[in-house]
Amino acid sequence: MATNFAKPENALKRAEELINVGQKEEALKALHGVIVSRRHRAWTKTLERIMFKHIELCVDMRKGRIAKEGLIQYRMVCQQVNVNSLEEIIKHYMHLSTQKAEHARSQAQALDDALDVDDLEADKKPEDLMLSYVSGEKGKDRSDRELVTPWFKFLWETYRTVLEILRNNSKLENLYAMTAHRAFQFCKEYKRTTEFRRLCEIIRNHLANLNKYRDQRDRPDLTAPESLQLYLDTRVEQLKIATELELWQEAFRSVEDIHGLMCIVKKHPKASLMGVYYAKLTEIFWTSSSQLFHAYAWLKLFSLQKSFNKKLNQNDLQLIASSVVLAALAAPPYDLSIGASHLELENEKDRNIRMANLIGFNLDLKLENREVLSRSSLLAELVSKGVMSCVTQEVKDLYHLLEHEFLPLDLASKVEPLLTKISKVGGKLSSAAALPEVKLSQYVPSLEKLATLRLLQQVSQVYQTVKIENLSEKIPFIDFSLVEKISVDAMKHKFISMKVDHMKGTIIFSNPGLESESVRDQLMIFAEHLNKSRSMIYTPAKKASKLGEILPSLTETVEKEHKRLLARKLIIEKRKEEQERLLLEMEREEETKRLRLQKLTEEAEQKRLASEYEQRKNQRILKEIEERELEEAQALLQEAEKRKGRKGKKPLIEGEKVTKQSVMELALSEQLRERQEMEKKLQKLAKTMDYLERAKREEAAPLIEAAYQQRLEEERVLHEREQEQEVELSRQRHDGDLREKGRLSRMLENKMQFEERLLNHRRAEYERLRGEREERVNQILQSRKQEREMKRKMLFFLRSEEERLNKEREEEEARKREEAEKRKREEAERKAKLDQIAAKQRQREMELEEKERLRKEELLGRSPEPTARSALPDGPPPDSGSAAAAPAQGAPSPARYVPKFRRAGPDNSRQAPPPGPTRVNNRW
């Protein structure tokens, strides 16, 4: 029904009439058309009544999509005018939906089977529909499922619609929080885990968009205390429902949401809310087997309750303190990072950082901060903060036995009765506490495991081989197969070292090296006891001090030891730096790989989600198109049957199954036939109109011609009359102009005088300005001429100075060349003189050698050979440098061996074998 109402009252009245006759669909269309119309965008009380009636009809017919469209349009109308009206309508909408669901629930007898569906948003599968028709399920269960499940689906859709409408409305934050709480209770009451996950994701996306688009109008302000408290209460309720439904991953994400809210506003919330926060953290960490963080969460809860909860009695405080100590003892006594792979360490590091942030610790990624959160530091903190003074006596005794006593054979027997007593301790706490009850029995298995590890550790320090039977008797509360599993885990993390030989029935503990901590402690204890015994048996006598003997060598020893330690320290630091550098490189590479893999995974997930969304969207669009086509085909079929009925013909389809295809074909064929008939009628009508038009034109032709001639005559007469008027007007204007000329001619002489005077004045002014300008031009030319003259003189001076400098530089270079040549000549002359002196020196040495040879021959009794010097005529001495003495000196004797360099003729007698380097004037 597409009627447009001028007034909303008419639409409301028409809708009530249609409802009275049972046409709710038409009534809903009428009201929906008024709500979405642009003509009614101003809020009125009538529009509010229309909206109430619209919501009631949508709930009765389960039209969730139409209700959502109407609420969105109504929100735009009354957001700035009367937002309370929107609140009342939304409350009425949720009340009606809940009432319908409860009514359907009260009618159903098998509610568990009626809500036995995985997802309330999923449509029915074709195989389910076929199975319901084929199978014999015709009883009460099937009718209940068909009755109850659609209403609960509609109720879930109502919650989603309301949350979507109110997500960015600061004026209806209370209603948004109330709707979220009711949706949580719906999921809790009917165990709807799938819907709860989807609801948490919806609320999380709303908060993310709220932080992303902060400039939106009417956006809630998280810095306001009221808004922050509402959002925190919603997340706390979400956390409670997640733990009750045992959805631990969703609970952990809820805790991260609460922590993120606290980080955004940087304001500490109420103590009661933080108590619930830490209480739920203990459950989450215990379920995820993170005993250490579980103990830290207990410590935070204990500190919070002790500081802010003044109504807490002593018994409740004692139970909480006992839980803190037992949780700390339940943590593994060894470092889990030892023996783990690099990938496990990286994952564990990220996980620890996230969990540490949740309990208020900021961990750094560096390796030195690995021991910030550890079991030993936690136990020391418990002692320092006085937690041990608040626990029960059984917990104190257990702590003392497991952490301070050394009882290799009696440890398990003394721990067992304490564990039995502890398992019976617990119960509900008072209403002032943040958590309802405390059960210490949950820590008994972990404490039994710890007692087993302590016993194995202490036995390994005393014995080397132990029989399995004896060890099983010492551990009565655990089977030996479980002891083996515990020992394997401890050996993996290098807590103990042992082997189990089932063939011999023995356990062999490895002999640790002398540098191990356990052996070092035992040797130190043994040495201390021996020293005490010796001092008791042999009392030491007082002796003189040997300090005087030790002091002289002590300084040197200390200095050597100090240097050795410094060198060792440098080596260790270099090794540590190298190791840190390698570790940082490995961490950087692993982080890069992890980020790349995470990016690829996120991209793949986004693509998958986008494809699924597009697929669902296409399916929904195709379904809507099919439904719309089927409705149109039915409408066409009804219209066609009505037309056929008016003509008295038979129906279009008889005895056939009406399908969409047949209806469409029938409607198309009917439309085609009607179109053809209409075309024939139009052709006939057009032909008739052509005949009529031709007849009218034939009759009107002479009348048109007569009218045309009459119009021509009238226009000719009008033209002549206008021409005569124009001539008369021109004559009158000419006469007036002549009279005006005669009147103005009397002023002609005065005008000529004024013009002459004005021209003379302007000519004198022009001559004066031209003279001034010429004077300025002459001054400028003179100044420019002087500047050019100065510039020419400066250029000439610079050029002259440059030529002078170049000339001086050339003269200097020429003088330097002459000096260099002079030095070369002097060097050559000095070298020639040195060569002459060297030649004389060689000749003198040869003469000395010859004399020495002759002297030796005379001493040996030989007759000296006549030398060449005796046969020579008198002449200058040998050192005079004459060339005549050289051939005589080199003359060979016929009876003895003559060297080759002495056999030469007179011209070459001075040539000697190439001498080695000769020292002349103390230089080589």
Side-chain angles (χ1 to χ4, degrees):
M1 189 172 183
T3 305
N4 292 325
F5 295 95
K7 294 182 179 181
E9 295 85 356
N10 299 335
L12 183 60
K13 184 178 180 181
R14 179 61 177 166
E16 290 176 352
E17 294 174 354
L18 292 172
I19 292 171
N20 293 330
V21 297
Q23 297 183 5
K24 294 184 178 180
E25 188 76 27
E26 298 296 330
L28 180 62
K29 288 182 180 179
L31 296 178
H32 189 71
V34 173
I35 292 170
V36 301
S37 176
R38 294 186 179 182
R39 298 173 59 183
H40 309 291
R41 290 297 176 90
W43 184 87
T44 58
K45 194 66 178 178
T46 305
L47 190 62
E48 184 180 8
R49 294 202 306 271
I50 289 174
M51 195 65 200
F52 274 111
K53 185 62 69 175
H54 180 269
I55 290 297
E56 292 174 1
L57 291 174
C58 289
V59 173
D60 287 339
M61 294 184 291
R62 293 200 297 268
K63 299 288 186 179
R65 185 172 60 83
I66 297 177
K68 182 178 180 180
E69 293 177 359
L71 286 172
I72 291 173
Q73 294 294 330
Y74 191 71
R75 180 187 63 181
M76 296 168 60
V77 172
C78 65
Q79 176 68 33
Q80 306 297 332
V81 180
N82 189 4
V83 74
N84 294 326
S85 176
L86 177 62
E87 182 178 1
E88 294 297 328
I89 287 172
I90 289 176
K91 288 181 179 179
H92 185 62
Y93 181 37
M94 289 194 294
H95 173 70
L96 290 177
S97 301
T98 307
Q99 188 177 5
K100 289 288 185 180
E102 292 295 331
H103 180 67
R105 177 189 176 187
S106 63
Q107 291 180 356
Q109 298 296 329
L111 180 60
D112 296 336
D113 295 336
L115 287 179
D116 189 14
V117 291
D118 294 334
D119 192 353
L120 291 178
E121 296 184 8
D123 297 330
K124 288 186 177 180
K125 300 179 181 179
E127 51 268 22
D128 295 338
L129 294 174
M130 294 176 64
L131 185 61
S132 64
Y133 284 107
V134 175
S135 63
E137 187 187 1
K138 301 293 184 180
K140 183 66 176 174
D141 295 343
R142 178 180 169 188
S143 62
D144 290 342
R145 187 178 297 112
E146 293 178 353
L147 176 65
V148 177
T149 304
W151 280 113
F152 276 91
K153 285 185 177 181
F154 181 75
L155 180 58
W156 167 247
E157 186 179 357
T158 300
Y159 289 139
R160 289 199 58 175
T161 299
V162 174
L163 290 174
E164 184 67 24
I165 290 173
L166 301 177
R167 61 188 178 93
N168 287 333
N169 200 325
S170 60
K171 299 179 181 179
L172 297 177
E173 290 179 337
N174 294 321
L175 183 59
Y176 179 85
M178 185 193 74
T179 306
H181 282 259
R182 293 181 65 174
F184 289 143
Q185 293 299 324
F186 169 80
C187 297
K188 173 188 173 182
E189 185 177 358
Y190 302 109
K191 307 296 182 184
R192 304 308 306 170
T193 56
T194 304
E195 283 72 25
F196 180 76
R197 292 192 187 95
R198 190 173 290 121
L199 178 63
C200 295
E201 191 64 30
I202 288 170
I203 295 177
R204 195 173 292 115
N205 290 334
H206 288 175
L207 181 61
N209 292 330
L210 195 64
N211 293 325
K212 185 177 180 181
Y213 305 104
R214 296 185 177 181
D215 298 332
Q216 286 184 351
R217 188 179 179 182
D218 299 328
R219 183 188 67 86
D221 188 9
L222 292 179
T223 58
E226 297 81 6
S227 301
L228 175 64
Q229 190 62 37
L230 285 174
Y231 276 88
L232 284 175
D233 291 340
T234 303
R235 266 62 183 183
V236 170
E237 184 68 20
Q238 174 182 334
L239 177 60
K240 291 180 181 178
I241 303 300
T243 53
E244 291 178 5
L245 294 176
E246 296 183 355
L247 300 174
W248 301 110
Q249 290 185 354
E250 199 60 46
F252 185 77
R253 297 183 68 184
S254 302
V255 169
E256 287 186 330
D257 293 342
I258 297 173
H259 183 262
L261 272 176
M262 292 188 293
C263 293
I264 288 174
V265 297
K266 296 181 180 179
K267 186 178 180 181
H268 201 68
K270 295 180 180 179
S272 59
L273 190 145
M274 293 304 297
V276 177
Y277 174 79
Y278 287 120
K280 296 303 179 182
L281 268 181
T282 57
E283 298 181 24
I284 295 171
F285 288 149
W286 181 257
T287 306
S288 62
S289 300
S290 302
Q291 288 87 353
L292 183 60
F293 290 98
H294 170 74
Y296 270 103
W298 265 115
L299 178 59
K300 287 282 187 180
L301 181 60
F302 172 78
S303 303
L304 190 69
Q305 293 294 316
K306 187 177 179 181
S307 302
F308 296 98
N309 198 347
K310 304 301 180 183
K311 299 179 182 180
L312 199 68
N313 55 33
Q314 188 64 28
N315 187 20
D316 295 343
L317 188 63
Q318 192 176 29
L319 282 176
I320 296 175
S322 301
S323 299
V324 175
V325 176
L326 292 180
L329 290 175
Y334 42 76
D335 189 2
L336 297 176
S337 62
I338 298 176
S341 64
H342 183 70
L343 183 59
E344 292 176 353
L345 287 177
E346 289 295 327
N347 295 334
E348 188 68 20
K349 186 187 296 183
D350 297 338
R351 181 170 173 267
N352 291 342
I353 290 173
R354 291 175 64 187
M355 292 190 293
N357 290 332
L358 294 180
I359 58 176
F361 289 91
N362 293 324
L363 288 184
D364 197 356
L365 292 176
K366 294 183 179 179
L367 297 176
E368 294 81 26
N369 294 327
R370 187 184 298 170
E371 299 296 331
V372 173
L373 298 179
S374 63
R375 185 176 182 272
S376 58
S377 62
L378 176 59
L379 292 174
E381 190 174 356
L382 294 181
V383 175
S384 63
K385 288 186 176 181
V387 181
M388 299 300 298
S389 61
C390 301
V391 300
T392 60
Q393 188 61 37
E394 293 84 2
V395 177
K396 286 183 181 179
D397 296 340
L398 182 64
Y399 171 75
H400 187 69
L401 282 173
L402 293 177
E403 296 299 326
H404 298 291
E405 290 292 336
F406 186 78
L407 301 169
L409 301 179
D410 301 331
L411 182 62
S413 60
K414 291 186 178 182
V415 167
E416 186 177 9
L418 295 176
L419 293 178
T420 304
K421 293 180 181 179
I422 289 172
S423 62
K424 298 178 182 179
V425 178
K428 294 185 178 180
L429 302 180
S430 62
S431 59
L435 63 166
E437 61 179 349
V438 173
K439 293 181 180 179
L440 300 183
S441 58
Q442 63 177 347
Y443 300 109
V444 172
S446 299
L447 295 174
E448 291 176 351
K449 179 180 176 182
L450 177 64
T452 304
L453 288 173
R454 290 298 185 195
L455 190 142
L456 290 174
Q457 183 186 25
Q458 295 177 8
V459 169
S460 65
Q461 295 175 4
V462 179
Y463 300 99
Q464 187 172 5
T465 305
V466 179
K467 289 188 177 182
I468 296 177
E469 299 176 358
N470 297 336
L471 187 62
S472 300
E473 292 176 358
K474 301 300 179 184
I475 310 174
F477 45 75
I478 294 180
D479 189 29
F480 185 73
S481 59
L482 187 57
V483 173
E484 281 187 306
K485 293 181 181 179
I486 294 172
S487 61
V488 167
D489 195 15
M491 290 173 62
K492 175 185 176 183
H493 299 291
K494 298 181 181 181
F495 184 70
I496 58 174
S497 179
M498 57 179 284
K499 297 179 182 178
V500 181
D501 191 349
H502 287 280
M503 295 181 65
K504 296 180 181 180
T506 59
I507 298 175
I508 303 169
F509 295 100
S510 301
N511 186 15
L514 293 176
E515 292 296 328
S516 65
E517 186 177 355
S518 59
V519 175
R520 191 185 308 122
D521 294 341
Q522 294 297 325
L523 291 176
M524 289 172 61
I525 295 170
F526 182 65
E528 289 176 359
H529 287 297
L530 283 179
N531 194 14
K532 289 181 182 179
S533 302
R534 191 181 65 82
S535 61
M536 291 173 65
I537 296 172
Y538 303 102
T539 304
K542 295 182 179 180
K543 297 181 180 180
S545 177
K546 296 182 179 180
L547 187 61
E549 299 177 0
I550 299 174
L551 282 176
S553 60
L554 183 61
T555 305
E556 185 178 357
T557 305
V558 170
E559 187 177 356
K560 290 181 180 179
E561 187 67 19
H562 181 63
K563 290 181 179 179
R564 186 182 66 81
L565 290 176
L566 287 178
R568 185 170 180 269
K569 182 181 179 182
L570 289 175
I571 294 172
I572 292 172
E573 288 179 353
K574 288 182 180 179
R575 290 179 181 176
K576 285 177 65 178
E577 289 176 358
E578 184 65 22
Q579 187 177 7
E580 288 179 359
R581 186 182 62 79
L582 294 175
L583 287 174
L584 287 174
E585 289 181 358
M586 292 174 62
E587 288 180 0
R588 196 178 296 110
E589 292 177 359
E590 292 294 334
E591 182 69 17
T592 304
K593 292 180 182 178
R594 187 183 65 79
L595 291 175
R596 190 183 301 113
L597 182 61
Q598 182 180 0
K599 185 178 180 181
L600 293 175
T601 307
E602 291 177 355
E603 291 178 355
E605 184 67 18
Q606 290 178 358
K607 289 181 181 178
R608 185 183 66 79
L609 292 175
S611 63
E612 290 180 357
Y613 174 74
E614 289 293 332
Q615 187 176 1
R616 290 196 299 269
K617 183 179 178 182
N618 294 333
Q619 291 177 356
R620 180 176 57 80
I621 292 172
L622 289 175
K623 187 176 179 181
E624 292 178 356
I625 292 173
E626 290 177 357
E627 291 178 355
R628 193 180 299 111
E629 288 179 353
L630 185 58
E631 292 177 358
E632 293 175 357
Q634 291 290 349
L636 290 173
L637 181 60
Q638 291 176 3
E639 292 177 1
E641 289 180 352
K642 288 179 182 178
R643 288 195 298 271
K644 291 294 182 180
R646 288 195 300 269
K647 295 180 181 179
K649 294 183 180 180
K650 294 182 179 180
L652 295 176
I653 299 177
E654 292 182 356
E656 296 181 4
K657 185 178 180 181
V658 179
T659 61
K660 175 187 173 182
Q661 190 66 26
S662 61
V663 171
M664 292 295 294
E665 290 177 356
L666 245 153
L668 290 174
S669 62
E670 185 66 19
Q671 288 180 358
L672 183 61
R673 186 182 60 79
E674 292 178 355
R675 189 182 297 112
Q676 290 175 355
E677 292 179 357
M678 184 61 67
E679 289 179 355
K680 291 180 180 178
K681 291 180 180 179
L682 290 175
Q683 288 178 359
K684 185 176 180 181
L685 181 62
K687 191 173 182 181
T688 305
M689 293 296 293
D690 288 342
Y691 289 154
L692 290 175
E693 186 67 23
R694 186 182 300 111
K696 285 192 294 182
R697 291 187 179 183
E698 288 178 354
E699 291 294 331
L703 299 177
I704 291 172
E705 181 65 26
Y708 175 69
Q709 295 297 331
Q710 184 179 358
R711 179 69 179 272
L712 285 177
E713 184 65 25
E714 292 176 355
E715 288 181 354
R716 184 180 60 77
V717 172
L718 180 63
H719 175 70
E720 291 176 355
R721 186 167 60 250
E722 289 178 352
Q723 191 72 17
E724 291 175 358
Q725 292 177 358
E726 183 68 25
V727 170
E728 185 64 26
L729 288 174
S730 298
R731 187 179 295 108
Q732 293 175 1
R733 283 198 298 271
H734 179 69
D735 295 340
D737 291 342
L738 289 175
R739 288 193 299 271
E740 186 70 17
K741 181 180 178 182
R743 187 177 65 84
L744 295 176
S745 61
R746 291 176 297 174
M747 297 185 294
L748 182 61
E749 184 177 357
N750 295 329
K751 177 247 183 188
M752 295 299 294
Q753 293 177 0
F754 174 76
E755 183 178 357
E756 183 67 21
R757 187 168 60 254
L758 183 62
L759 288 177
N760 293 333
H761 176 71
R762 290 181 179 179
R763 190 178 295 107
E765 184 69 19
Y766 169 74
E767 294 294 335
R768 184 181 62 81
L769 293 176
R770 188 177 65 177
E772 292 178 357
R773 178 177 175 279
E774 289 179 355
E775 185 178 357
R776 285 197 304 272
V777 169
N778 292 331
Q779 291 178 358
I780 293 170
L781 291 175
Q782 188 67 23
S783 61
R784 290 181 180 177
K785 184 177 180 181
Q786 292 176 0
E787 288 178 1
R788 287 195 300 272
E789 188 69 23
M790 289 294 294
K791 189 180 294 185
R792 282 196 298 271
K793 290 180 180 180
M794 183 60 69
L795 290 175
F796 176 76
F797 174 75
L798 293 176
R799 195 180 299 110
S800 302
E801 188 67 20
E802 185 178 0
E803 291 177 356
R804 186 182 63 80
L805 292 175
N806 290 334
K807 186 176 181 181
E808 290 180 355
R809 187 164 50 252
E810 290 175 358
E811 291 176 354
E812 182 68 20
E813 291 177 357
R815 184 181 60 79
K816 289 181 179 179
R817 285 196 300 271
E818 290 178 358
E819 290 179 355
E821 291 176 357
K822 184 177 180 182
R823 282 197 300 270
K824 288 181 181 179
R825 288 195 300 270
E826 291 177 354
E827 185 68 23
E829 292 176 358
R830 187 176 63 81
K831 189 174 181 182
K833 289 180 181 180
L834 291 176
D835 291 340
Q836 291 178 4
I837 294 170
K840 291 178 181 180
Q841 186 69 22
R842 286 195 300 271
Q843 183 178 2
R844 192 177 297 114
E845 288 175 357
M846 291 171 63
E847 290 177 355
L848 292 175
E849 287 176 359
E850 183 66 23
K851 289 179 181 179
E852 184 66 21
R853 185 181 60 78
L854 294 175
R855 188 179 65 79
K856 287 181 180 180
E857 288 178 355
E858 289 177 359
L859 290 175
L860 292 174
R862 294 181 181 179
S863 58
E865 294 291 334
T867 59
R869 184 180 297 273
S870 61
L872 289 174
D874 296 336
D879 56 350
S880 61
S882 61
Q889 185 178 358
S893 177
R896 58 181 296 186
Y897 174 74
V898 180
K900 184 177 181 180
F901 67 88
R902 293 183 180 275
R903 298 175 188 173
D907 297 333
N908 297 330
S909 60
R910 291 293 301 274
Q911 295 180 0
T918 305
R919 185 171 181 179
V920 179
N921 294 335
N922 294 327
R923 289 188 300 180
W924 294 94

